[in-house]
Amino acid sequence: MIDKRVATLADAVAGIADGATVLVGGFGDSGVPVELVHALLDQGARDLTIVTNNAGSGERDVAALIRERRVRKIVCSYPRSAGSIWFEEFWRAGEIELELVPQGTLSERMRAAGAGLGGFFTPTGADTLLAEGKEVRVLGGRRQVFEEPLPGDVALVKAYRADRWGNLVYRTAARNFGPTMAAAAALTVVQVDEFVELGELDPEAIVTPGIYVDRVVRVEVL
Amino acid sequence: MIQPLSDIDVARRVATDIPDGSYVNLGIGMPTLVADVVGPDKEIVYHSENGILGMGPAPAPGEENPELINAGKQPVTLLPGGSFFHHTDAFMMMRGGHIDLTVLGAFQVSERGDLANWITDVVTHPPAVGGAMDLSVGAKRVLVMTTHVTRDGRPKLLPQCSYPLTAAGVVDRVFTDLAVLDVTPAGFVVREMAPGLTAGELQELTAARLTFADEVGVLSTS
């Protein structure tokens, strides 16, 4: 019997090790697994590499992890936002490493990891600062940059509904990085608003099949 | 007397260059004005990097869904026929040449069509790139919408960009408050100018050497 549901947020993030690379879903405030990130904060893992599109804002989720000195490095496309005060403070003080990656390359590097590929060539970033030190080839008449896969030890993802097999559907633009990150990590942990019975999700509309998912936890919607 | 175009006049001029039926991605900032002035006679499908096609205007007050946002993180709506997809797909659409046209802001554009629109100064602010590099290498046609000179009067159209590039050789056409210019193998060719402006005056405000079309049109102001 397969049952990926876990009872508590603490169970959901149990065993995440110091030094782990953690993929965190979300774009701005849309689709961020806020409660899972807070559970990781409580769990105590440190020296983390966080892979996420934005570096958090205000005092919550990734910003709180940075504030509490849990993050060694952030891999991200757009760390600056209104309220990204903790990231900026740590960055200025040289206390956090930033690997800046174009957004499509960030996503595709994770996809490559999930797809078992050794990397890919992309025209994105050719002849820019972000290609420095990388192999460049002319392919199809264009200069293209070699990019390596970006696997996670853990992915933290927010979805809308799940069944006990871990099949997922999302809601509107909150889907963003979720499906790619789910496939790219050794341990994929998902928070959802609702559990449904097996068979209740329309098989034509399941976005992330449960094969990519390890743990699912329900978070009470206030 | 020279009559520079207002932002909305520039947006109106850009809108006339967008064919009916186009798939379009509008950059953050000034380019978003274009959606407000595209005529109702055209059906345009707007793409957003966070996984939306068929993006509609801002919702009525009180109708906002915090998960349904655009690339600038502002609430938007979905039009009938619209769809949601994940980030990797959103950037496949860009890089794979499926987006017909993008309108982007710029700090600088070179006469070879190089675009600089992501950083001016790497020292004091953490760098952030988002989807700018993917979009500018991937869209089939790249239009730039910008003021002709900086706030302190320095030219933005240059023989060579001094700021770090977003992408090399990608810009097709530039729309400023003073002129419409094509990027050609011979450099910038002026197609249209603001009322009251002479060729000599435009050249004075442009660091790159300009060529003028046989018949230079006059831009409309409201």
Side-chain angles (χ1 to χ4, degrees):
Chain A
M1 154 124 176
I2 300 170
D3 192 351
K4 297 181 179 179
R5 294 172 298 179
V6 296
T8 67
L9 284 160
D11 294 338
V13 298
I16 297 176
D18 291 353
T21 295
V22 183
L23 317 179
V24 179
F27 179 89
D29 288 336
S30 178
V32 180
V34 176
E35 287 77 7
L36 281 175
V37 176
H38 290 165
L40 181 60
L41 192 65
D42 294 341
Q43 186 259 13
R46 51 183 59 250
D47 200 28
L48 300 170
T49 294
I50 299 291
V51 181
T52 190
N53 191 59
N54 307 102
S57 74
E59 300 292 333
R60 53 170 229 177
D61 55 80
V62 171
L65 278 180
I66 295 171
R67 184 191 68 214
E68 300 304 320
R69 302 183 174 276
R70 303 295 175 72
V71 185
R72 184 183 67 77
K73 177 179 177 182
I74 193 153
V75 184
C76 152
S77 92
Y78 210 89
R80 256 192 350 248
S81 57
S84 57
I85 43 171
W86 287 109
F87 169 76
E88 294 192 35
E89 189 172 320
F90 277 64
W91 183 82
R92 284 205 180 87
E95 291 182 12
I96 193 166
E97 187 186 335
L98 169 66
E99 180 180 344
L100 191 74
V101 182
Q103 196 171 150
T105 299
L106 182 71
S107 196
E108 194 64 23
R109 285 180 61 194
M110 290 187 280
R111 194 196 77 86
L117 301 178
F120 56 93
F121 282 91
T122 174
T124 302
D127 302 306
T128 76
L129 289 178
L130 300 189
E132 277 180 7
K134 293 177 181 172
E135 183 186 349
V136 175
R137 284 196 203 167
V138 177
L139 297 166
R142 298 190 86 173
R143 289 169 58 75
Q144 310 219 23
V145 184
F146 181 71
E147 295 285 356
E148 292 186 344
L150 179 55
D153 297 305
V154 182
L156 303 181
V157 168
K158 181 182 180 183
Y160 172 41
R161 285 174 153 167
D163 59 29
R164 67 177 171 83
W165 281 14
N167 294 311
L168 306 177
V169 294
Y170 300 80
R171 215 163 30 186
T172 73
R175 184 183 307 192
N176 57 63
F177 287 92
T180 299
M181 287 181 170
L187 173 72
T188 292
V189 182
V190 182
Q191 67 172 73
V192 294
D193 292 358
E194 290 174 15
F195 285 142
V196 297
E197 290 301 318
L198 209 60
E200 213 174 304
L201 296 175
D202 176 359
E204 302 286 357
I206 289 172
V207 175
T208 297
I211 191 170
Y212 298 124
V213 174
D214 298 286
R215 298 175 186 167
V216 192
V217 65
R218 188 167 71 92
V219 171
E220 210 66 56
V221 183
L222 299 175
Chain B
M1 204 184 86
I2 305 170
Q3 298 170 54
L5 275 68
S6 64
D7 289 356
I8 201 75
D9 285 337
V10 180
R12 283 197 184 96
R13 177 60 191 84
V14 172
T16 64
D17 260 33
I18 303 181
D20 184 24
S22 299
Y23 290 86
V24 172
N25 186 304
L26 299 177
I28 296 172
M30 217 168 131
T32 57
L33 290 174
V34 173
D36 300 335
V37 294
V38 168
D41 53 322
K42 290 182 190 173
E43 195 163 43
I44 307 295
V45 180
Y46 292 104
H47 170 269
S48 187
E49 65 185 14
N50 53 319
I52 310 172
L53 270 176
M55 184 168 62
E63 301 287 305
E64 298 91 350
N65 170 354
E67 290 181 332
L68 182 46
I69 57 175
N70 63 14
K73 323 287 193 313
Q74 298 149 324
V76 293
T77 50
L78 190 75
L79 299 177
S83 55
F84 298 117
F85 37 90
H86 65 83
H87 243 83
T88 307
D89 279 351
F91 281 83
M92 272 176 63
M93 292 175 196
M94 289 185 195
R95 245 190 273 101
H98 307 282
I99 303 293
D100 293 311
L101 183 151
T102 185
V103 185
L104 298 170
F107 300 138
Q108 296 178 333
V109 180
S110 85
E111 62 190 18
R112 288 188 302 271
D114 298 347
L115 173 67
N117 76 350
W118 71 290
I119 36 170
T120 56
D121 176 352
V122 290
V123 182
T124 54
H125 292 291
V129 64
M133 289 186 177
D134 307 276
L135 188 54
S136 53
V137 302
K140 283 193 252 182
R141 191 164 162 76
V142 176
L143 309 183
V144 163
M145 180 176 171
T146 181
T147 54
H148 203 85
V149 297
T150 64
R151 269 193 206 113
D152 50 1
R154 285 175 298 153
K156 288 183 161 190
L157 306 185
L158 310 167
Q160 204 169 335
C161 297
S162 60
Y163 294 145
L165 295 190
T166 306
V170 294
V171 176
D172 294 296
R173 182 170 263 200
V174 181
F175 300 79
T176 78
D177 50 339
L178 299 180
V180 175
L181 312 95
D182 281 332
V183 176
T184 75
F188 287 115
V189 174
V190 179
R191 299 288 177 200
E192 295 162 45
M193 290 200 295
L197 183 67
T198 67
E201 286 165 335
L202 186 66
Q203 181 64 75
E204 282 288 300
L205 296 166
T206 312
R209 203 179 58 79
L210 299 176
T211 307
F212 290 82
D214 291 342
E215 294 205 13
V216 176
V218 179
L219 288 162
S220 325
T221 56
S222 53

